[in-house]
Amino acid sequence: MQKPEKDRKSDGVHLWLVLMKAFQSISAYAMHTLRDSGLGDSDFRVLEALLHKGPLPVNVLGPKVFLTPGSISVAVDRLHSRGLVTRIESESDRRVRIVDLTPKGRTLIEQVFAAHAREIDALMQVLDPEDRRKMTKALKKLGKHAAERLRPPTP
């Protein structure tokens, strides 16, 4: 027996599908905003993290931008070869490499991020400020709840 229309619109699977479809559309739009920058998604995420967080060890940077250890190494190598980041061995632990923006990298990401932020902000104008606050609060709550459910129980 199929659920009545009203119930289907509020069930968890329906919400998940709506979130996934919205995420895919918003992600495609975000990538569209980067098309003229010469940066791909992972390069943009790395440079943006360094812009807003400052220099970071590679092993800290990867998880912040949702890249595996292998993928972050490739991304940093690519950005380094373009002269956008530096890699310096940590003075306290030679196994650790610190990644930072070069002046060229900082100039590029400041310009690209400013344009990207304007585009994303314009997209979000479809929602009034109160809707954006409520949505932010609800998505944080849902994300934290999902993360908690992934953690193994404490003995």
Side-chain angles (χ1 to χ4, degrees):
M1 184 171 163
Q2 197 172 21
K3 289 182 180 182
E5 180 68 19
K6 184 177 179 187
D7 290 344
R8 282 196 315 256
K9 297 253 182 199
S10 66
D11 71 17
V13 173
H14 181 77
L15 176 57
W16 177 77
L17 287 170
V18 170
L19 280 170
M20 291 305 298
K21 288 177 183 180
F23 176 76
Q24 292 298 324
S25 296
I26 295 166
S27 293
Y29 183 82
M31 287 308 301
H32 171 78
T33 70
L34 301 177
R35 77 174 183 277
D36 297 332
S37 71
L39 296 175
D41 177 50
S42 59
D43 292 347
F44 173 79
R45 287 185 281 144
V46 169
L47 295 175
E48 184 275 333
L50 295 172
L51 176 66
H52 293 105
K53 302 289 185 188
L56 293 168
V58 174
N59 64 331
V60 172
L61 181 58
K64 284 196 179 300
V65 297
F66 306 106
L67 292 176
T68 64
S71 295
I72 188 63
S73 293
V74 170
V76 169
D77 287 348
R78 185 173 49 246
L79 293 168
H80 185 262
S81 71
R82 291 182 60 189
L84 301 175
V85 300
T86 59
R87 293 177 297 203
I88 301 170
E89 285 183 2
S90 168
E91 292 179 12
S92 61
D93 186 344
R94 291 183 1 167
R95 297 170 296 174
V96 174
R97 291 224 168 157
I98 308 296
V99 181
D100 196 5
L101 293 170
T102 62
K104 178 181 173 184
R106 179 170 299 282
T107 298
L108 175 64
I109 192 59
E110 283 175 344
Q111 292 171 350
V112 171
F113 183 78
H116 173 75
R118 283 190 301 273
E119 289 286 334
I120 297 299
D121 194 51
L123 177 68
M124 297 300 169
Q125 294 302 314
V126 71
L127 302 170
D128 66 49
E130 183 59 23
D131 285 342
R132 284 182 286 200
R133 280 190 288 279
K134 285 179 180 177
M135 184 177 274
T136 298
K137 185 177 178 180
L139 289 172
K140 283 183 177 182
K141 182 178 181 179
L142 180 60
K144 287 177 182 178
H145 181 63
E148 287 169 4
R149 292 186 65 137
L150 281 173
R151 289 190 199 111
T154 310

